[in-house]
Each structure stands twice: as C-alpha cells, then as structure tokens.
Amino acid sequence: MLEEYKDIQYQISDNKRWLYNIHNDRMIVSEHSLENYLQDIENPENPLHDFYISTYKRGKLTNFHFIRIILESSRINFFYKVSLFLNKGYLTLFMLIISLTLLPSLLRMDPVDPNYFLLTKFSFWDMAMIYLVTTTVILPLHEYAHFAVYYKYLKPSKVTFGFSLRYFSMPVFFIKVPFYKVLKGKKRNELVLAGVKFQVAIWFLLTLFTVMYPSKFLLGLIIVNLGLIITNLLPFLKLDGYWYLSNLLGVEDYMAYFKAMFLKKKKFRLDVCLLGLINFGMIILSIISFLADIMRYFV
C-alpha cells in the first residue's frame, strides 16, 4: 500500500524512495531517505519544498493533458470488483472464443449488410454516436480497468484522470498510475493487459446484443472496439503492447533504454535498437498522417 502525507504519495521499493505529488504530477525516485523531509515540507529551506509547491505542467508536447480531474478513489470504485472479475484470464479466453466464433454470423445477419463492415458505409449520425460512445464509455472503462489492478495492489486514496493529446494526433483518455514501475513481474503484466481484457468483455457483450437486436450501430461499435484492441496491442507509441513488450525485454521502458544506449549509459542491444527505430518511424507516420488530414480539410 502507498503511504501518503499532504497529497504526496510515497513508497519504498528496491531500496528506492518513490514520491509522487498528486497536484503537480511530479515524481521523485531516490536511493536516499526522503520520507523524513515530508514532516516539514512547507518550510522553504526543505529540500523537497520546490517539489511540493511547484505548479502543474500539462505534460509534454508529445503527451499534452488538456483536461485533468482529481477525485477520491472511493468515488469511482463502483466498477472495481466487476473489473477485477473480468480481468481473469480464463474468462477473457472464453469471451474471446465466443466473440470470434459469432463474428462471421453477424456479418451475414439480416438486416445487417456485409458491406456495413466498412465504417465508410455508416451514416454521419451513426459515426457520431459510435465516436461518442467510444470516447465517453469504452476508452474510460479501458483505463479504469488499469486503475482497478493498480488500486488492488497499492490502494491510493486519490485518482487522477482526464484527456490528453498524444503525438499531436491521438486524443486519449488517461488515468494516472504513477507507481506502476513499483509492481513487478505478473502484477505489472496484469495491470498492462487489464484494459484490453475489459475491451474483450465489451466486445463479448456487444456481440450478444447484436445477435438479439441486429443493428448497424452495434456492429459499428464492435468494429471500432476490435480496432482499438488490435491498436492497443501494438508494441509502439507507448500503448499497452509497448509496456508489455518492455516487460518481456526486461526493461522498464524500451525507448528510454534505446535513448540511453546512444548516450552510452546502457549496454547496446540489437533487439531494443530495432524496436526503437521502428517506434520512431511509427511516431513520424502518426504525425504526418495527422498533418495530411488537416491539409485535406483546408484544401
């Protein structure tokens, strides 16, 4: 469990002190004892005073937070037990098999035309509703599933969430899990995969509803949700697959390791080098695609 003092959360792990300031989104990791400074942190002479009073910055240019909300964790724990239940591997596998098995039959259903499997065949209003449900329901539930596992092991009293723009082109909902790196092995993998597992559950439920009440709208949600599952499993752009692959590689963040290699702070690894180059390529393509869309809109 996390300790907390004046909205500063802290944990001792691997002989390191991890301190996180909820209000300004700053993290300190040190091998020196810092917890004693917390008692007098409002004193300007205290080494942690700047960490305590400094203002919040809305992330980086490549991950800009334009909406951020801080709440007591207990106020959003209504899906906590449900989320953990759906995170069980055997249940995810069962729902995945059923959803994949029923997918072909959905495309042959009347009145759903197989051509509607293409999102370009949907009406403007269908697309608007699909986008609204995706951004206000599916993506927040995905992120909450991550937080449910985080809360299971660390029990933070407050939670920070909101919307950010990643790589100038990807609007995403986020929930902060700053002590993610404290978790090890299976616990860390459980947290990383929790969001995708919840989306498999959403896919399963949407499939059942579509079987009972065939509609283009429900089929559209299935398509978009499935696309998001596949996208999140990609090991690039700091999506879920990125962090899972980092765990498999035995590094906390393979792009951080990639950059450290070229600064000669880390031993050269060919696998990390190749992945880093591909990831840079994906970021550049994402930005180019975003700029091309803007150009097409104004031209």
Side-chain angles (χ1 to χ4, degrees), residues 72-173:
E72 296 290 331
S73 298
S74 59
R75 296 184 63 180
I76 66 166
N77 68 0
F78 41 90
F79 284 131
Y80 175 66
K81 291 184 179 179
V82 173
S83 179
L84 291 183
F85 175 72
L86 294 175
N87 192 50
K88 297 182 183 299
Y90 67 85
L91 186 58
T92 300
L93 181 60
F94 169 77
M95 292 187 292
L96 180 62
I97 292 172
I98 297 298
S99 300
L100 285 171
T101 302
L102 292 176
L103 184 59
S105 64
L106 295 185
L107 304 181
R108 295 192 296 267
M109 238 180 225
D110 183 50
V112 176
D113 188 315
N115 288 328
Y116 285 130
F117 193 67
L118 300 174
L119 286 178
T120 53
K121 300 296 183 178
F122 286 73
S123 71
F124 170 80
W125 292 112
D126 277 339
M127 287 300 300
M129 287 303 298
I130 289 169
Y131 179 80
L132 181 64
V133 172
T134 300
T135 54
T136 61
V137 179
I138 295 177
L139 292 179
L141 286 176
H142 171 107
E143 292 300 319
Y144 180 81
H146 290 305
F147 180 76
V149 176
Y150 183 76
Y151 185 81
K152 170 185 173 182
Y153 292 116
L154 297 172
K155 297 295 187 297
S157 64
K158 290 184 174 62
V159 56
T160 303
F161 61 94
F163 284 90
S164 67
L165 185 66
R166 188 174 296 172
Y167 302 121
F168 310 103
S169 57
M170 299 168 58
V172 294
F173 181 89

Side-chain angles (χ1 to χ4, degrees), residues 10-77:
Y10 64 96
Q11 171 82 277
I12 300 175
S13 177
D14 295 334
N15 295 319
K16 294 181 181 179
R17 273 67 176 176
W18 301 68
L19 276 70
Y20 176 70
N21 189 327
I22 297 168
H23 291 293
N24 59 21
D25 195 28
R26 286 186 62 184
M27 170 74 85
I28 290 177
V29 181
S30 174
E31 294 183 356
H32 301 288
S33 178
L34 299 176
E35 55 269 29
N36 294 332
Y37 292 115
L38 293 176
Q39 301 298 323
D40 192 32
I41 201 167
E42 293 178 347
N43 184 346
E45 302 300 320
N46 190 304
L48 293 180
H49 184 66
D50 179 68
F51 169 74
Y52 179 62
I53 67 167
S54 60
T55 58
Y56 165 66
K57 297 180 180 179
R58 295 184 176 274
K60 305 175 182 177
L61 284 176
T62 54
N63 189 18
F64 183 78
H65 298 171
F66 53 87
I67 296 176
R68 186 183 73 138
I69 299 170
I70 301 174
L71 288 178
E72 296 290 331
S73 298
S74 59
R75 296 184 63 180
I76 66 166
N77 68 0

